Amino acid sequence: MRLSFSEDDERFRREVADWLRANLCGEFEQIRFRGGPGDEHMFSGERKRWEQRMAEGGWTCIGWPREYGGRGASIEQQVIFHEEYARAGGPGRVGHIGEGLAGPTIIAFGTEEQKARLLPGIRNGTELWCQGYSEPGAGSDLANVKTRARLENGRWLLNGQKVWTSLAHESQWCFVIARTDPESVAHAGLGFFLVRMDQPGVTVRPIEQITGTSEFNEVFFDDAVCDAGDMLGKPGDGWKIGMALLGFERGVSTLGQQMLFQNELDEVIRIAQANGRGKDPVIRQRIADAWIGLRIMRYNAMRMLSGQQDGSLSREATAYKLYWAVWHRNLGKLAMDVLGPEAEVIAEAPYELTRLQSLFLFTRSDTIYGGTNQIQRNIIAERALGMPKEPRPARA
Amino acid sequence: MEFAFTEEQQMIRETAEQFLADHCDSAAVRRAMATEAGFEPELWHRIAGEMCWTAIHVPEAYGGLGLGYVEVVALMEQMGRRLLCAPYFSSICLGANALLLAAGEAQKERWLPAIADGSCRATLAWCDASGRWDATGVSATFVRDGEDYVLDGDYRYVVDGHTAGLLIVAARTPGSAGTAGIGLFALPADTAGVTRAWLPTMDQTRKLASLRLEQVRVPAAALLDAAATDAGAALANILALATVALAAEQAGGAQQILDIAVAYTRERQQFGRTIASFQAVKHKAADMMLKAEAARSAVYYAGCVATEALAGGVADAELAAAASLAKAYCSETYFFNAGTALQLHGGVGFTWEYDVHLYFKRARASESFLGDAAEHRERIAAGLGL
Ligand SMILES: Cc1cc2nc3c(=O)[nH]c(=O)nc-3n(C[C@H](O)[C@H](O)[C@H](O)COP(=O)(O)OP(=O)(O)OC[C@H]3O[C@@H](n4cnc5c(N)ncnc54)[C@H](O)[C@@H]3O)c2cc1C
């Protein structure tokens, strides 16, 4: 167990930093430190161009194997990359669902043909992805999805509704869990579909969020077409693949997020220093607590990642989502309390929020999406501690 | 960067786990805690002689194994799980660390080999009854008198102070304040003018004592000379290392009491089902696990920093921050987990018979010892420039 990086890794760090310095400037200067949580709707055009600039430099998907366009970067190198990216003020990544979720899932479960066809778009930053899991009747109880897929003339036709689909309005592709066997219930009879968004059978309607902005959407499928070759795995594999994807969500992709958290915390500390609230003994305690919590989050992640190079989940990894979600939510509240009465004043009418106001509001969703805190606690208790599963009434 | 135990570290950890499971069960803890000395010499001999835990991070030149602080942390974690009653923390994490950081060559040669083989048990006395755990809590004084030093003053909360053979004491020059004017001395416990008294405590698994020094005359060679110019800074580093070790012990206790609670809830039936099947119970257990895991991450990190600090590789401020981080988090975690475990046990959690109270009391005692969570957060806030 040691904390220092090898010389090779330090060389890699300089390479990343140099590239960012040379590229994250000029037309991209304005998006530095932008597009984070609560700010995702900003500069989407510039951030898409930035994604492609990153791809040209070979800095997207660095953790993917080389054969699929990645760098096969080690965990250490990925940590370094995320650290330098955050230090340089790299903007929120519009391609993260493709790079962190869809890509690894396609690599793990796709055919060679699917990999060759679908991965380059992600790798090159030209095709963005969204996640079509939740439905009006299937939130925490994801296995209750009702969207149906039927095979007709060698193509799947999808019918149903998804909801809370983040970035659906920006995406070319959506991965969808839908029922291939209409008679099936719960985990059985599901398929995992890769669906093109620009087709007549797909309608995207934005949902206005607590922030007044629209990052997520309703997505309607009316005989939406999915070519047979765009199903991942076989009919019936949907649950297995869908859950494996959520495992990737808890993996390396969380490291980048932590670095954003550090920037946010630094900003809160700067404000506390400037406005004098940093002398308040209770605020001091809370800031120190946040600082401690973030440091520990980093070492939680390092332990989790050092343990398993294959992305599978270890026992302690089950607690990771709950840990960061609660930490981040507390930071949002701390930011408001450090600002005091000034926390109320928005940037501009009618409802343009400041970054920290967006943070405060947005972090209330951290404890909901990706499995609510309550669901996380169920998972920890059942999978890590071996306590009994929740009783389930027979389904209607 | 490698944030997992090496194979060797893993082996040390597993061996310790097994040894303690065999030799430090509830009955052994209860036997030891009921005595004034607070430990069984038999077990101490095995820990030192067979297991060589007392030698673990002492350099080979002084009869040690020359391993790092991560190994100490790994051991302390296991000891914490079993509430080991032995003067390990006092002799190694306070005594040996004090000598490693502050003693000159001759002093190390004189004392460390005996500490490493367990034949000498050391401890550190520094603070008085003020409840301040840093140099500002030092009120005993020393003055030079010819070839000697003369020490006077009172110490409280001295871990194993009534049984240790070697006392390392911090004192200050009369009229000095804060970290200035501090001196560290090593003196045999039977030096004339030293009075020691056991201080019976609510947590019986770790023994405390008070010391009084009255006109205690020691030779000049008793002053730990490597740190003589800035003993205040050395004291802070010694306490930071001890704090990391204590936090590791807390993390171990927090994990064990979680395991005990989960096992109990899976046995106990109410309303026709195990109480572990109630979501209110599961969610409490989940919160305990989240904290126990985070506590472990914190102490492994702090152990790495401490290893580098002992090798002279990190700034004092970084060691201090790592220690405060670990102590703040582990203190709250251990108390939360022990308190929650008590609740999940219901009435039996309130009995002397079940072990829950042993953890609950150890958690309370460790929380305030070396500074509670609020104090360590305040130190971090100051370090952040607030
Ligand atoms: C900002 C945001 C972005 C999102 N993006 C996406 C996306 O891109 N793609 C996507 O598919 N989905 C997305 N979601 C949806 C998200 O995954 C769901 O909101 C989440 O799974 C919860 O489902 P629900 O909203 O239906 O709440 P419900 O499941 O109805 O939960 C309501 C309350 O009941 C509690 N509850 C439910 N079941 C249990 C139980 N078994 N035990 C104890 N308590 C329980 C919950 O914890 C919660 O407090 C997003 C959500 C948000 C807020």
Side-chain angles (χ1 to χ4, degrees):
Chain A
M1 204 172 260
R2 67 190 160 78
L3 295 170
S4 50
F5 290 95
S6 71
E7 247 173 61
D8 272 357
D9 286 340
E10 290 301 340
R11 205 170 307 121
F12 178 80
R13 182 187 296 282
R14 284 191 295 276
E15 190 186 343
V16 177
D18 288 347
W19 186 87
L20 285 167
R21 203 173 310 110
N23 288 274
L24 191 54
C25 53
E27 62 170 316
F28 297 122
E29 184 62 43
Q30 58 175 339
I31 60 169
R32 288 183 63 213
F33 295 103
R34 297 307 299 262
D39 195 39
E40 281 105 338
H41 56 296
M42 295 302 292
F43 299 105
S44 71
E46 290 80 356
R47 282 162 56 215
K48 274 186 240 167
R49 278 208 300 286
W50 168 245
E51 200 72 23
Q52 289 164 25
R53 172 70 68 88
M54 298 241 307
E56 285 158 22
W59 294 109
T60 54
C61 309
I62 62 168
W64 291 12
R66 282 181 186 282
E67 52 184 315
Y68 303 124
R71 285 178 181 248
S74 65
I75 299 287
E76 284 86 350
Q77 289 177 334
Q78 294 179 60
V79 172
I80 288 171
F81 175 79
H82 290 304
E83 282 179 348
E84 293 307 315
Y85 189 82
R87 203 190 315 275
R93 297 282 307 278
V94 285
H96 68 277
I97 299 180
E99 171 166 339
L101 300 179
T105 309
I106 292 167
I107 291 172
F109 296 99
T111 61
E112 288 311 314
E113 184 279 327
Q114 286 172 325
K115 293 179 198 173
R117 186 159 50 82
L118 297 167
L119 294 175
I122 300 175
R123 152 71 177 71
N124 298 332
T126 50
E127 292 188 333
L128 304 182
W129 286 72
C130 60
Q131 174 172 19
Y133 277 27
S134 304
E135 296 182 6
S140 299
D141 189 8
L142 182 58
N144 197 36
V145 292
K146 296 276 189 274
T147 295
R148 276 170 300 122
R150 68 172 197 278
L151 197 55
E152 232 177 70
N153 303 327
R155 306 181 314 174
W156 291 95
L157 296 179
L158 274 66
N159 282 281
Q161 183 196 342
K162 296 290 171 180
V163 70
W164 320 125
T165 320
S166 300
L167 300 174
H169 56 297
E170 302 275 7
S171 301
Q172 283 72 43
W173 289 90
C174 183
F175 49 87
V176 176
I177 296 187
R179 209 160 279 289
T180 48
D181 174 0
E183 304 296 308
S184 68
V185 289
H187 312 80
L190 297 171
F192 196 94
F193 298 90
L194 311 177
V195 180
R196 286 185 189 279
M197 295 296 280
D198 57 339
Q199 57 164 308
V202 175
T203 311
V204 175
R205 270 198 224 134
I207 305 173
E208 193 174 15
Q209 296 173 328
I210 191 171
T211 46
T213 57
S214 297
E215 177 261 359
F216 59 32
N217 306 270
E218 293 178 290
V219 177
F220 298 89
F221 301 117
D222 299 293
D223 278 343
V225 175
C226 176
D227 290 334
D230 286 343
M231 173 187 237
L232 217 50
K234 299 184 302 299
D237 286 347
W239 187 256
K240 178 185 80 186
I241 298 175
M243 291 301 109
L245 179 140
L246 293 181
F248 296 122
E249 192 164 19
R250 300 189 196 95
V252 169
S253 55
T254 56
L255 289 170
Q257 173 202 45
Q258 275 181 34
M259 302 302 155
L260 288 175
F261 292 174
Q262 183 69 56
N263 287 343
E264 292 165 355
L265 176 59
D266 288 345
E267 187 176 346
V268 170
I269 292 174
R270 269 196 306 277
I271 292 169
Q273 282 166 334
N275 74 3
R277 297 281 284 167
K279 294 286 168 232
D280 178 285
V282 176
I283 292 287
R284 293 169 74 79
Q285 286 284 313
R286 289 174 60 195
I287 289 177
D289 195 44
W291 185 88
I292 290 169
L294 184 54
R295 276 297 187 92
I296 293 179
M297 196 190 303
R298 178 176 158 88
Y299 297 106
N300 275 342
M302 295 311 301
R303 272 179 65 212
M304 177 168 98
L305 297 171
S306 296
Q308 13 90 235
Q309 303 278 334
D310 60 351
S312 68
L313 281 188
S314 55
R315 190 184 113 100
E316 60 268 18
T318 54
Y320 192 75
K321 160 82 205 301
L322 178 62
Y323 184 97
W324 75 252
V326 171
W327 182 90
H328 204 210
R329 186 174 72 183
N330 290 345
L331 180 72
K333 180 66 165 60
L334 176 61
M336 295 298 95
D337 296 344
V338 163
L339 281 163
E342 201 55 30
E344 269 308 303
V345 183
I346 63 173
E348 213 175 303
Y351 205 65
E352 171 94 23
L353 300 174
T354 66
R355 248 169 58 122
L356 290 180
Q357 287 167 336
S358 296
L359 175 76
F360 167 62
L361 293 176
F362 194 87
T363 53
R364 302 311 294 197
S365 73
D366 287 331
T367 54
I368 298 173
Y369 68 77
T372 68
N373 280 8
Q374 288 69 38
I375 294 300
Q376 298 301 332
R377 289 189 177 96
N378 285 349
I379 292 173
I380 295 168
E382 292 168 16
R383 297 203 200 143
L385 297 174
M387 297 169 90
K389 285 211 189 326
E390 291 294 291
R392 267 179 190 273
R395 288 197 187 250
Chain B
M1 177 150 203
E2 178 60 57
F3 209 58
F5 285 120
T6 62
E7 253 174 54
E8 191 188 8
Q9 289 165 343
Q10 190 62 32
M11 211 180 74
I12 290 172
R13 188 165 185 261
E14 278 161 17
T15 313
E17 188 175 9
Q18 192 54 52
F19 177 86
L20 290 165
D22 293 345
H23 301 283
C24 192
D25 57 5
S26 173
V29 169
R30 286 164 185 263
R31 274 196 315 272
M33 79 183 199
T35 66
E36 179 174 326
F39 70 100
E40 297 189 302
E42 227 283 298
L43 184 58
W44 178 250
H45 291 315
R46 302 191 73 159
I47 283 174
E50 255 171 61
M51 308 305 290
C52 299
W53 292 349
T54 44
I56 200 112
H57 80 305
V58 173
E60 283 161 311
Y62 310 111
L65 298 177
L67 298 172
Y69 216 68
V70 172
E71 284 80 353
V72 174
V73 158
L75 288 177
M76 285 298 291
E77 188 189 357
Q78 296 306 320
M79 295 181 204
R81 283 183 59 183
R82 293 291 173 176
L83 298 172
L84 172 69
C85 296
Y88 185 86
F89 175 74
S90 53
S91 193
I92 304 308
C93 306
L94 289 167
N97 281 336
L99 293 168
L100 285 171
L101 293 190
E105 201 51 44
Q107 292 165 330
K108 286 184 185 166
E109 277 168 14
R110 171 154 181 224
W111 297 111
L112 281 173
I115 292 177
D117 71 20
S119 57
C120 170
R121 284 172 281 104
T123 192
L124 176 73
W126 76 103
C127 61
D128 57 18
S130 67
R132 289 194 302 263
W133 298 102
D134 59 8
T136 62
V138 177
S139 60
T141 59
F142 71 94
V143 289
R144 182 93 195 206
D145 183 23
E147 288 303 294
D148 299 334
Y149 287 100
V150 178
L151 301 161
D152 270 290
D154 286 299
Y155 300 91
R156 208 168 160 82
Y157 323 119
V158 185
V159 186
D160 300 317
H162 57 312
T163 55
L166 176 69
L167 304 175
I168 296 165
V169 303
R172 58 171 64 253
T173 53
S176 66
T179 51
I182 300 282
L184 288 161
F185 298 85
L187 50 141
D190 56 8
T191 306
V194 177
T195 342
R196 318 192 278 163
W198 172 41
L199 195 60
T201 43
M202 183 162 66
D203 164 32
Q204 298 177 291
T205 63
R206 184 167 11 245
K207 301 300 179 187
L208 300 183
S210 47
L211 297 189
R212 166 156 293 175
L213 307 189
E214 280 170 305
Q215 290 290 301
V216 173
R217 185 168 287 273
V218 295
L223 176 71
L224 299 188
D225 43 14
T229 51
D230 196 357
L235 178 61
N237 288 335
I238 294 162
L239 294 175
L241 289 178
T243 302
V244 171
L246 184 60
E249 189 194 271
Q250 292 174 308
Q255 177 64 52
Q256 187 71 8
I257 195 63
L258 163 62
D259 294 347
I260 290 172
V262 169
Y264 180 77
T265 63
R266 291 171 64 172
E267 293 285 312
R268 170 76 177 159
Q269 303 247 351
Q270 285 291 280
F271 299 97
R273 49 201 266 210
T274 66
I275 58 171
S277 69
F278 295 116
Q279 199 178 66
V281 170
K282 287 164 69 176
H283 284 193
K284 279 293 179 209
D287 286 339
M288 289 165 80
M289 182 181 132
L290 177 141
K291 287 175 192 288
E293 288 298 338
R296 190 171 284 150
S297 298
V299 298
Y300 295 165
Y301 158 70
C304 290
V305 175
T307 296
E308 289 180 20
L310 277 165
V314 298
D316 290 356
E318 194 179 340
L319 174 63
S324 286
L325 173 159
K327 183 62 168 52
Y329 197 87
C330 294
S331 292
E332 291 197 335
T333 292
Y334 195 6
F335 189 75
F336 175 87
N337 282 12
T340 305
L342 198 159
Q343 179 69 19
L344 295 183
H345 274 76
V348 299
F350 194 68
T351 62
W352 194 269
E353 181 193 343
Y354 275 66
D355 284 346
V356 181
H357 74 104
L358 303 179
Y359 289 87
F360 183 73
K361 290 169 183 170
R362 173 74 81 85
R364 219 283 341 143
S366 312
E367 193 176 15
S368 58
F369 193 71
L370 292 174
D372 64 12
E375 173 172 345
H376 283 284
R377 281 195 292 262
E378 175 51 40
R379 293 187 197 178
I380 282 174
L384 289 171
L386 290 170

